[in-house]
C-alpha cells in the first residue's frame, strides 16, 4: 500500500502544472482550431445559434487576402534581417564582455541587458518620439550636422528597418547573457592547451569558443525565430501597420481581424497558419541541429 502511494506522489506534485497547461493552453488551442472553421463574430458570442460551420472557407479566403500576403512578406523581412543581426550582435557582445577583465565590462553587461527588462510599450512610445519626423531627436541630430531628415516611420522600407532596430535593441541583451553563460562554462583547460600550442586569441575563439556554443546558438536561433515570427508590439504601437500596411506583421493582422473587426473565425485561421509556420521552422532547426551532431 505504501509503495503504491509513493508511486503516485510525483503525479500529485505535477498535477497543478498539468491542469494549468490543459486549461489555459491545450483546450484553448483546440477551441481556436474549431473556431477557425466557423464564421464566429460578436453576434455568435451573444447567440451561439448564429455561428455557422463554413469548413475551410476562412483558410481559402485568407491565403488570397492581399493584406495577409503583405503581412507575410513583412514578417519574413523581419525574420531574414532581424534574426541574424540579433545572433551576431549577442555573440559579439558576449565575447567582448567575457574577454574584458575590468569592472567596466560588468557595467556594460547590465547596460546591454536593461532593454530586455523594460516595458515594450513604453519603449515603443519613446522610440516613436525619437523617430518623429517633425520634432524627433534623430532628425534634430541630422539637422545639426546639416543632413536631410529621414522619414523613419513614414517611408515603407525605412519604417520596417526602424522597427527592426528597436527589435534588435530589445532582444540582444537576453541572448547575450545566454551566450555569456555558455562561454563561461567552457573548460579552461581547452584554452590552456591551445595557448601552449601557440594559438592566438582569435584562433581560440574560432576553433574553441564558437564550436563549443553550438547548443546555445541553436537555442538562441530557435527562440529568436519564434519571437520575430510573432513580431507584434512594435508595429502595433509605433505605426499601427502603416504606412500602407508596409509594417503589418502576421500577428498584427490576426489582432486586427480578431479584436478590431470581430472576425474571430477568420483571425483563428490566421493564427493557425502562423502556428504552422512556427512549428515548421522549429522542426527544421531541430533537423539541422541533428545533422550537425551526426557530423
Amino acid at each position: 500500500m505504501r509503495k503504491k502511494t509513493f508511486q503516485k506522489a510525483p503525479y500529485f506534485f505535477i498535477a497543478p502544472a498539468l491542469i494549468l497547461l490543459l486549461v489555459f493552453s491545450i483546450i484553448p488551442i483546440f477551441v481556436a482550431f474549431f473556431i477557425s472553421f466557423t464564421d464566429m463574430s460578436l453576434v455568435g458570442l451573444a447567440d451561439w445559434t448564429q455561428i455557422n460551420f463554413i469548413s475551410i472557407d476562412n483558410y481559402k479566403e485568407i491565403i488570397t487576402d492581399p493584406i495577409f500576403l503583405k503581412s507575410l512578406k513583412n514578417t519574413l523581412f523581419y525574420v531574414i534581417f532581424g534574426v541574424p543581426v540579433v545572433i551576431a550582435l549577442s555573440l559579439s557582445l558576449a565575447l567582448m564582455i567575457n574577454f574584458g577583465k575590468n569592472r567596466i565590462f560588468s557595467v556594460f553587461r547590465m547596460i546591454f541587458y536593461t532593454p530586455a527588462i523594460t516595458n515594450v510599450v513604453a519603449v515603443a512610445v519613446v522610440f516613436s518620439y525619437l523617430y518623429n519626423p517633425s520634432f524627433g531627436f534623430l532628425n534634430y541630430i541630422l539637422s545639426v550636422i546639416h543632413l536631410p531628415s529621414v522619414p523613419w516611420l513614414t517611408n515603407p522600407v525605412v519604417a520596417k528597418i526602424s522597427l527592426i532596430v528597436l527589435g534588435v535593441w530589445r532582444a540582444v541583451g537576453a541572448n547575450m547573457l545566454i551566450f555569456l553563460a555558455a562561454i563561461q562554462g567552457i573548460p579552461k583547460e581547452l584554452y590552456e592547451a591551445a595557448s601552449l600550442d601557440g594559438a592566438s586569441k582569435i584562433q581560440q575563439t574560432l576553433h574553441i569558443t564558437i564550436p563549443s556554443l553550438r547548443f546555445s546558438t541553436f537555442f538562441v536561433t530557435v527562440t529568436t525565430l519564434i519571437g520575430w515570427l510573432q513580431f507584434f508590439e512594435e508595429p502595433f504601437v509605433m505605426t499601427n501597420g502603416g504606412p500602407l500596411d508596409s509594417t503589418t506583421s502576421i500577428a498584427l493582422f490576426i489582432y486586427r481581424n480578431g479584436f478590431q473587426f470581430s472576425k474571430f473565425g477568420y483571425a483563428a485561421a490566421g493564427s493557425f497558419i502562423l502556428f504552422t509556420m512556427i512549428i515548421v521552422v522549429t522542426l527544421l532547426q531541430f533537423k539541422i541541429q541533428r545533422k550537425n551532431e551526426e557530423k
Side-chain angles (χ1 to χ4, degrees):
M1 191 71 178
R2 289 182 180 177
K3 189 176 180 181
K4 289 183 178 179
T5 306
F6 178 77
Q7 289 176 345
K8 293 178 181 178
Y11 297 100
F12 286 110
F13 283 107
I14 66 172
L18 290 177
I19 292 171
L20 289 173
L21 181 66
L22 181 68
V23 173
F24 294 104
S25 293
I26 297 176
I27 292 178
I29 288 174
F30 283 102
V31 171
F33 185 66
F34 172 77
I35 291 173
S36 69
F37 295 101
T38 68
D39 61 351
M40 186 174 181
S41 62
L42 281 177
V43 176
L45 284 178
D47 182 5
W48 288 10
T49 60
Q50 299 296 320
I51 301 175
N52 300 306
F53 183 78
I54 58 174
S55 187
I56 60 172
D57 287 356
N58 283 327
Y59 292 93
K60 287 181 180 179
E61 183 180 350
I62 201 169
I63 60 176
T64 58
D65 189 329
I67 299 179
F68 176 77
L69 295 176
K70 197 166 188 177
S71 69
L72 177 61
K73 292 178 182 177
N74 295 336
T75 301
L76 292 177
F77 185 93
Y78 295 139
V79 169
I80 291 170
F81 289 96
V83 174
V85 174
V86 168
I87 296 172
L89 280 179
S90 301
L91 180 57
S92 301
L93 291 173
L95 291 171
M96 180 191 73
I97 292 173
N98 183 66
F99 288 145
K101 303 300 181 183
N102 297 330
R103 190 173 295 178
I104 187 67
F105 286 95
S106 298
V107 177
F108 284 153
R109 179 171 55 189
M110 181 188 67
I111 292 172
F112 291 133
Y113 182 66
T114 300
I117 59 176
T118 53
N119 183 278
V120 60
V121 176
V123 170
V125 171
V126 171
F127 268 77
S128 297
Y129 285 109
L130 292 176
Y131 286 142
N132 190 281
S134 302
F135 53 83
F137 180 72
L138 295 179
N139 278 342
Y140 171 75
I141 295 296
L142 292 176
S143 66
V144 169
I145 57 178
H146 305 292
L147 290 176
S149 61
V150 176
W152 300 105
L153 298 178
T154 54
N155 179 278
V157 177
V158 178
K160 280 197 282 282
I161 296 173
S162 300
L163 295 181
I164 289 174
V165 170
L166 173 55
V168 169
W169 180 77
R170 289 194 66 251
V172 162
N175 293 323
M176 175 201 69
L177 286 186
I178 294 172
F179 279 126
L180 188 59
I183 291 171
Q184 293 176 349
I186 299 173
K188 303 298 181 185
E189 292 80 3
L190 296 176
Y191 295 103
E192 293 173 359
S195 298
L196 291 175
D197 290 337
S200 64
K201 289 290 186 182
I202 295 177
Q203 290 174 326
Q204 292 177 26
T205 301
L206 294 176
H207 299 288
I208 297 177
T209 306
I210 294 179
S212 299
L213 296 176
R214 61 184 181 275
F215 295 111
S216 301
T217 304
F218 168 71
F219 175 78
V220 169
T221 302
V222 170
T223 55
T224 306
L225 273 169
I226 293 173
W228 283 91
L229 285 171
Q230 296 177 323
F231 198 57
F232 171 72
E233 292 92 346
E234 290 85 348
F236 174 67
V237 176
M238 297 178 66
T239 62
N240 197 25
L244 302 175
D245 290 308
S246 62
T247 59
T248 301
S249 63
I250 297 178
L252 181 56
F253 173 86
I254 295 168
Y255 170 82
R256 278 181 184 168
N257 284 277
F259 294 97
Q260 293 183 350
F261 305 147
S262 300
K263 298 165 64 177
F264 300 125
Y266 195 65
S271 67
F272 270 91
I273 291 175
L274 178 59
F275 176 76
T276 304
M277 290 173 58
I278 292 173
I279 293 296
V280 170
V281 168
T282 304
L283 292 177
L284 183 62
Q285 288 292 320
F286 273 102
K287 189 174 182 180
I288 295 172
Q289 178 67 15
R290 227 176 266 119
K291 284 185 177 180
N292 292 335
E293 289 177 4
E294 291 173 359
K295 291 180 182 179

